[in-house]
């Protein structure tokens, strides 16, 4: 059943983390933040909503890097109940969708809880000061990829944030599957 995430808490400061990525390296927020902003998105491998946007997420991350915005994805689901979300399957998911950003494993679910992550996908867009300015969806496509005109909501918001450090007041909540808690 799809759920909507909560609204943007403008100015909330991103919390530090140290998590292993699919490349077997450990990353912290301070080491991966972008010069003009950072997108942290909570995703998983099995969610149909994530699968539907994964190619577009890969594309947008490549576009965002051109304006000084880095992207990082975090997987926080319980892999015992959802083995499709395992670390090994995260590696395959990364290859399948050509992710060029860190895909981190939040095995203890501490990061998802501290961020108040709610669903997959759940997007957090921070300015260069690591202040939350966007908590919306990737784009208007959601589950309807047949739409020929998809509004690039995340990209447009992050472009604004890269220039002004402020996010748009109008934001559409992401929809997805709930995070699978232990």
């Amino acid at each position: 059943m799809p759920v909507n995430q909560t609204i943007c808490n403008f100015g909330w400061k991103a919390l530090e983390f140290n998590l292993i990525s699919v490349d077997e390296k450990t990353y912290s927020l301070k080491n991966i933040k972008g010069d003009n902003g950072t997108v942290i998105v909570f995703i998983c491998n099995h969610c149909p909503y994530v699968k539907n946007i994964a190619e577009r997420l890969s594309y947008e991350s490549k576009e965002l890097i051109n304006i000084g915005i880095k992207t990082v994805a975090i997987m926080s689901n319980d892999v015992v109940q959802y083995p499709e979300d395992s670390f090994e399957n995260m590696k395959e998911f990364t290859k399948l969708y050509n992710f060029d950003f860190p895909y981190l494993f939040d095995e203890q679910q501490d990061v998802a809880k501290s961020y108040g992550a709610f669903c997959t996908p759940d997007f957090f867009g921070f300015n260069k000061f690591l202040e939350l300015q966007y908590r919306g969806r990737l784009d208007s496509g959601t589950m309807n990829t047949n739409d020929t005109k998809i509004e690039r909501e995340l990209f447009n918001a992050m472009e604004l944030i890269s220039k002004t450090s402020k996010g748009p007041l109008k934001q559409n909540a992401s929809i997805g599957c709930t995070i699978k808690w232990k």
Side-chain angles (χ1 to χ4, degrees):
M1 169 182 259
V3 293
N4 285 44
Q5 68 179 25
T6 58
I7 58 172
C8 184
N9 183 9
F10 287 97
W12 179 79
K13 293 288 276 186
L15 301 173
E16 187 57 65
F17 52 77
N18 286 293
L19 296 172
I20 191 164
S21 183
V22 294
D23 64 5
E24 304 283 343
K25 296 178 185 171
T26 299
Y27 291 89
S28 67
L29 177 59
K30 68 181 172 201
N31 295 86
I32 56 174
K33 69 183 192 89
D35 291 339
N36 294 328
T38 307
V39 171
I40 298 174
V41 56
F42 290 85
I43 65 172
C44 68
N45 308 329
H46 86 274
C47 172
Y49 291 89
V50 173
K51 288 178 178 178
N52 190 61
I53 59 106
E55 285 181 19
R56 298 193 314 274
L57 172 60
S58 183
Y59 172 80
E60 294 296 7
S61 72
K62 291 169 179 64
E63 293 292 301
L64 287 169
I65 200 75
N66 292 327
I67 58 171
I69 306 283
K70 289 191 179 173
T71 302
V72 60
I74 300 175
M75 202 300 294
S76 301
N77 276 356
D78 178 359
V79 297
V80 173
Q81 291 183 64
Y82 294 86
E84 190 177 341
D85 293 332
S86 73
F87 189 66
E88 288 306 312
N89 286 332
M90 288 171 61
K91 292 177 181 180
E92 294 304 314
F93 198 79
T94 296
K95 289 177 194 168
L96 178 64
Y97 293 105
N98 195 26
F99 288 170
D100 64 348
F101 50 81
Y103 187 13
L104 310 177
F105 185 31
D106 180 20
E107 186 173 11
Q108 301 305 316
Q109 301 182 314
D110 295 333
V111 177
K113 288 176 184 171
S114 68
Y115 274 69
F118 187 73
C119 63
T120 58
D122 199 348
F123 293 90
F124 293 75
F126 296 92
N127 64 19
K128 63 183 174 186
F129 307 110
L130 293 175
E131 298 164 337
L132 186 65
Q133 295 296 318
Y134 186 74
R135 183 100 187 264
R137 60 189 182 184
L138 178 70
D139 57 36
S140 62
T142 309
M143 289 300 279
N144 182 10
T145 55
N146 295 329
D147 191 350
T148 56
K149 183 167 180 358
I150 294 176
E151 179 72 27
R152 297 172 69 195
E153 295 173 27
L154 175 70
F155 180 85
N156 293 339
M158 295 309 296
E159 185 175 47
L160 175 67
I161 292 165
S162 75
K163 294 174 182 174
T164 67
S165 290
K166 298 288 183 191
L169 295 179
K170 182 179 183 296
Q171 300 179 11
N172 295 303
S174 188
I175 343 179
C177 300
T178 57
I179 290 180
K180 308 309 180 203
W181 303 109
K182 293 180 182 179

